[in-house]
Amino acid sequence: MPQTPSIYEIHDERFRHLIVGSARLEELYSGCRWAEGPVWFADLNCLIWSDIPNQRMLRFVQDGGVSVFREPSNFVNGNTRDRQGRLISCEHGGRRVVRTEIDGSLTVLADSYQGKRLNSPNDVVVRSDGSIWFTDPTYGIKSDYEGFRAEPEQPTRNVYRLDPETGGLEAVVTDFGQPNGLAFSPDESKLYVADSASSHDINAPRHIRVFDIVEGKKLADGRVFCSLDNGLPDGFRVDAHGNVWTSAGDGVHCFSPEGTLLGKILVPQTVANLTFGGPRRNRLFITATTSLYSVYVATNGVALG
């Protein structure tokens, strides 16, 4: 009887200790145009993610199926939660970062820098001190497919930090081609940021950079953490051991804290983003082109709070 092809590629023996060999890749939903921005709500036992071109956000509930969370979504891309459990989202349509309050209303957190509109905020993370860090490439204003076509007002594509006390916005990195996904190391001493500029320029970077966080507010010593051998890095997350799990053209690539490729989880569609979820944070939820997938792993995502 023929064996089912493995969904795993082992590049380093350490990867065997991070995966469940018998776990299968499950397709939980299909029908998106471009699935992005998954965020896990442990208290509600659900996952929320974005279907950007379809102008909607969807909700997956274990044993409860999929329903629409918000429509229209104003072309929301990346999502995360703050330390009070509120949803933080990056809107391509509004070119802003917004917070969903408990009553469902939206609060605009950032929509301009130095008197000019942001490009199209893409992905966002929140540090334990409450500061909000996000990337601002131009994908949402390049055409009318994932936002509204417009000329960029910002001269550069930046990574920003929003101060939780003053609301002040600062550009902490300004030399990216197209900054995309971002995540903190488990101890929050480092920030990883993807550069996906090769999406529109084959000679541009397709790597993840890492920076040291200085005094919780600034970035220093930026260097290349890893480069992909298939596709480009979009969104990614870090597990409790400091391994980086990133989207790629052929699935999910896992890198050690030193930047060594440990292995891959092969996915039949181009992966855009991923997050750890489930009661033990050991279920990897993967948004890939038209679908939402999941697979159980033998590690755990970083706990918030």
Side-chain angles (χ1 to χ4, degrees), residues 29-79:
Y29 180 82
S30 63
C32 297
R33 292 190 184 278
W34 182 249
E36 268 273 20
V39 56
W40 177 254
F41 281 73
D43 46 342
L44 300 176
N45 195 32
C46 75
L47 181 93
I48 291 174
W49 81 98
S50 304
D51 180 6
I52 306 174
N54 278 329
Q55 271 258 48
R56 61 180 182 170
M57 300 170 71
L58 299 171
R59 178 199 292 114
F60 166 79
V61 179
Q62 183 65 40
D63 301 324
V66 172
S67 60
V68 174
F69 172 74
R70 180 181 298 162
E71 188 176 26
S73 66
N74 210 9
F75 296 102
V76 161
N77 187 338
N79 300 283

Side-chain angles (χ1 to χ4, degrees), residues 6-8 16 19-26 295-296:
S6 174
I7 63 170
Y8 303 109
R16 297 187 189 276
I19 58 175
V20 178
S22 61
R24 64 188 180 92
L25 184 70
E26 302 174 73
V295 61
Y296 283 94

Side-chain angles (χ1 to χ4, degrees), residues 264-275:
K264 301 180 181 182
I265 301 176
L266 302 178
V267 179
Q269 301 185 70
T270 299
V271 173
N273 217 318
L274 54 94
T275 196

